[in-house]
Amino acid sequence: MTRPLYTAEQTRAIDRDAIERQGIPGPELMARAAEAVCRLIQKEYSEIERIVVYAGVGNNAGDGYLVARRMQDLGKSVRIVQLVPGKSLQGDAGAACEEATRAEVPMQPFAEANPIDEDLVVDALLGTGLSRPVEGDWAEAVSHINQSNASVVSVDIPSGLDADTGVADPHTVKADHTVTFIARKRGLYTADGPDCAGWVTYDDLEVESDNSSAVALCDWAEIRRDLPRRRRSSHKNEYGHVLVIGGHVGYQGAAELCGITALRCGSGLVSLVQPPEALKMRSPMPELMCHAVANRRALRDLAGRASVIAIGPGLGQDAWAQDMLGAVLEMSCPRVIDADALRLLAADPCKNLSGDWVLTPHPGEAAALLDTKTAEIRKDRFSAIGRIQETYGGVIVLKGCGTLVADTDGKIGVCADGNPGMATAGMGDVLTGAIASLVGQGLSIGSAALAGTCLHAAAGDLACERGMHGMTASDLLPHLRTLSDPPNAV
C-alpha cells in the first residue's frame, strides 16, 4: 500500500510535525499550498482571465487569499468574496489576508458581493475543519458556486464534504478539480467524495509523512506489477478449481457469469452447482462443468475437489439455498460469500465465524448483516466495514463508489477505479468470480479480495470507453482476460 489515506485529525498531526519537527514554518506551508493550486490553474485553466476566490475561515481561507494574490501577480483579474471579515482571521490565515490586502486584491463581504460572472471559482471556504451542518450564508455561498457556470477548483477538499467519511452535506461544493495537500484525505475517494471532488491532484508540499495509516488507495495497475508469471510447463490444476453454487430457476445467468469470469481471470477449472430443476442441458460456455445437486451429500463430494467455493450468485433463499449454505459454512476451504448467501447469513448470525472467507456486501446487504438501515451504512463506510469484520471475521469487501476492502490485519484498501456504468445487474457476480479465481490461483484471501476488486473495476473502466450507458456485466469479460495477465507475461 503505497498511497496512504488519512483522516482530518491524522492530517493535522502531520501538519504539526512538519512545523515542530521538520522545521517548516506555517506561512511557508501555506505558501506552498497556494503555489500548488496556482500550478493546477495554470495547467488546466490557462486561458481563463477572471477568477473569484470564496474565502472562509482558518488555513483554508489563508490558502485562498494567497492564491488570489499569486494569480493577480500573474496578470489575472481576481476578486475575493469573504464569508468572514479579514480582521477576524488569526495566525497564518490572518497574515495571508493582510498580504492580499497589501497587494490590493479586491475584496467584498459575501452580503455585498456581486453574482459570479467569472470563469473560475476557487473554493477556499471550509477545508477539513467541517464539524457541523453547512447553514446560513455558508450554505448560500455554496449554492452560488454550484449554480454558476464557472469551473470550480476546491482547495484541499470541497467545502461541505466530510474528509473522513466522504459523506457530503446537502450544501457541498461540486468541484471540477480538487488540489489536496500534506496527506490524501480518505473522504475524497469513497462515498460522495469522487462526485464532489472531480479530478484530484495531490501535493505533499515536501512534507514527510509517517505512512502509518492503515487505509490506502489502490488500483489494478499497481497490483498487477506483482503478479507472478506462469511457467511454460504449468498445468490447469495449478491454477485452482472454483466451485460456484447458485443459479436458481430464473437466475441461472448469475452463476454462469460468476463461473465464466473465473475462467477469464485464469482459473484452471470451474464447476457450477445448481438445483436440479434449474440446470440447463448445456452451459453457455462448454468449459464450465455443470452439476445438478439436490442435497448436502452430493455437494460435499464436489466440494472436496475444489480449491475455493463461491456461493451466492442467483442462489435464492429457499430450503435448497439454506441447505447449500449450511454445508458450505461447515467446510474449511476458502469461500467467497455474496448476494443471497449474505442475506441468509444475516438471518442466522449464530453461524460459526471464519477467518477463511470473503464477504462481499453492497450497502443493503451490509445493513442486513449488521441489522441496521442502509442509510446508517452510508453515513460512515469505514466504520461499517470494521463492524462487519468484527462481527463475522474474514475479509470484507464493501461495494460502492470507492469500494473498501478490509483485510484480516486491520488494513483497508480503497479501490481507485470504477465508474457509474457498472451500476447494473450482474456486476457483483463478476466481482465474486474474479475474487474466487484469484484465491484459487494461490493468492491469500485478503490479497485476492483487493486484487479482484481492482481488476474488476479496471475492466469496467476499459468497457466504459465504448460508452457508459448500456454497459453490461458481460462487457467486462474480454477486458478481464487481457488485464489478468501480469506485465510481460508472454
Side-chain angles (χ1 to χ4, degrees), residues 293-308:
V293 173
N295 53 53
R296 290 190 181 202
R297 180 176 178 180
L299 176 62
R300 291 192 188 99
D301 291 341
L302 286 170
R305 301 193 292 271
S307 310
V308 56

Side-chain angles (χ1 to χ4, degrees), residues 342-488:
L342 292 171
R343 298 282 185 179
L344 292 173
L345 184 65
D348 189 3
C350 295
K351 299 291 186 183
N352 293 331
L353 300 185
S354 173
D356 204 15
W357 64 20
V358 181
L359 308 185
T360 62
H362 58 53
E365 292 158 349
L369 290 169
L370 294 176
D371 192 23
T372 188
K373 303 294 185 182
T374 302
E376 291 299 313
I377 302 299
R378 290 175 174 154
K379 282 182 180 178
D380 190 339
R381 289 164 53 78
F382 292 95
S383 173
I385 198 171
R387 286 185 285 137
I388 296 171
Q389 188 172 59
E390 181 180 354
T391 304
Y392 293 91
V395 174
I396 313 299
V397 178
L398 181 54
K399 295 182 281 196
C401 182
T403 292
L404 308 184
V405 182
D407 205 343
T408 54
D409 60 4
K411 293 182 178 179
I412 297 177
V414 181
C415 180
D417 299 319
N419 63 81
M422 299 175 72
T424 188
M427 285 292 177
D429 306 316
V430 172
L431 174 61
T432 296
I435 294 172
S437 178
L438 295 173
V439 172
Q441 292 177 62
L443 273 66
S444 68
I445 60 169
S447 296
L450 183 59
T453 297
C454 292
L455 168 59
H456 175 258
D461 286 343
L462 287 179
C464 187
E465 292 178 359
R466 299 187 63 181
M468 182 182 298
H469 291 194
M471 187 192 306
T472 66
S474 58
D475 288 338
L476 273 61
L477 296 173
H479 302 296
L480 288 169
R481 179 182 179 186
T482 302
L483 290 170
S484 294
D485 275 347
N488 305 314

